Amino acid sequence: MKKSILAIATLAFMAWGCSSDNDDTRPTGIPEGSDARPTWTGPDYDLYEQTMIVDVSLQDALVQYASEQDLLCATINDEVRGVATPQQVEGQWLFPLIVGSNETGAMVRLSYYCDKLHRIFTINWTRFDASIPPSGKGGLYQPEFVN
């Protein structure tokens, strides 16, 4: 009887020690997902009259999860208009993004795939305007994918 009680107490202690209230979240509170790496391919820019070129940097909350396997995609009307892979420049992850369009003022959406988190984050980004690229601190645009 004592051995049974001791075994049950040991198992309960081990289960309690291994559990967590946040098994599916990272230290910053960003939950891990189950998204597969997307197969976004860049567009044929010859099909578009205008291009908008911008360097996109990751917001601070996502930097610790960045890797060379990440992707950034710009879409207009659910059509891929630009894809970028990250580059590390002076210790910072940058995505050099070129977005093509035939229509000024069209809403551009950004999708960021984070390989380490297995998640795709998507936001409404900006209106397409080749003459005025989005701006940010130090000439870099830093969209907020997580709040």
Side-chain angles (χ1 to χ4, degrees):
M1 180 73 167
K2 278 186 176 181
K3 287 183 183 181
S4 297
I5 293 173
L6 184 59
I8 291 171
T10 301
L11 287 173
F13 179 75
M14 287 174 53
W16 174 74
C18 294
S19 70
S20 171
D21 290 339
N22 297 328
D23 284 341
D24 65 342
T25 60
R26 299 295 179 149
T28 59
I30 301 173
E32 188 170 338
S34 59
D35 294 327
R37 189 172 198 271
T39 56
W40 297 320
T41 55
D44 178 356
Y45 293 105
D46 291 334
L47 299 174
Y48 303 105
E49 296 172 4
Q50 305 173 64
T51 57
M52 184 170 67
I53 301 169
V54 63
D55 286 329
V56 178
S57 68
L58 287 179
Q59 72 184 99
D60 295 340
L62 292 170
V63 168
Q64 64 185 314
Y65 306 113
S67 76
E68 293 177 349
Q69 301 303 311
D70 294 357
L71 289 172
L72 187 70
C73 178
T75 59
I76 296 176
N77 297 325
D78 296 323
E79 182 181 319
V80 173
R81 299 294 182 94
V83 176
T85 56
Q87 299 175 355
Q88 236 183 354
V89 178
E90 298 177 7
Q92 185 174 14
W93 290 100
L94 297 178
F95 293 83
L97 183 65
I98 301 171
V99 182
S101 181
N102 292 325
E103 177 186 352
T104 297
M107 176 54 71
V108 181
R109 290 176 55 85
L110 272 188
S111 295
Y112 165 63
Y113 171 72
C114 180
D115 187 66
K116 288 183 180 177
L117 292 174
H118 307 290
R119 281 200 53 195
I120 297 172
F121 301 89
T122 301
I123 60 168
N124 286 327
W125 181 36
T126 189
R127 298 248 174 229
F128 184 91
D129 187 341
S131 66
I132 307 172
S135 61
K137 253 195 290 189
L140 300 174
Y141 185 77
Q142 191 175 51
E144 283 193 38
F145 288 105
V146 292
N147 297 331

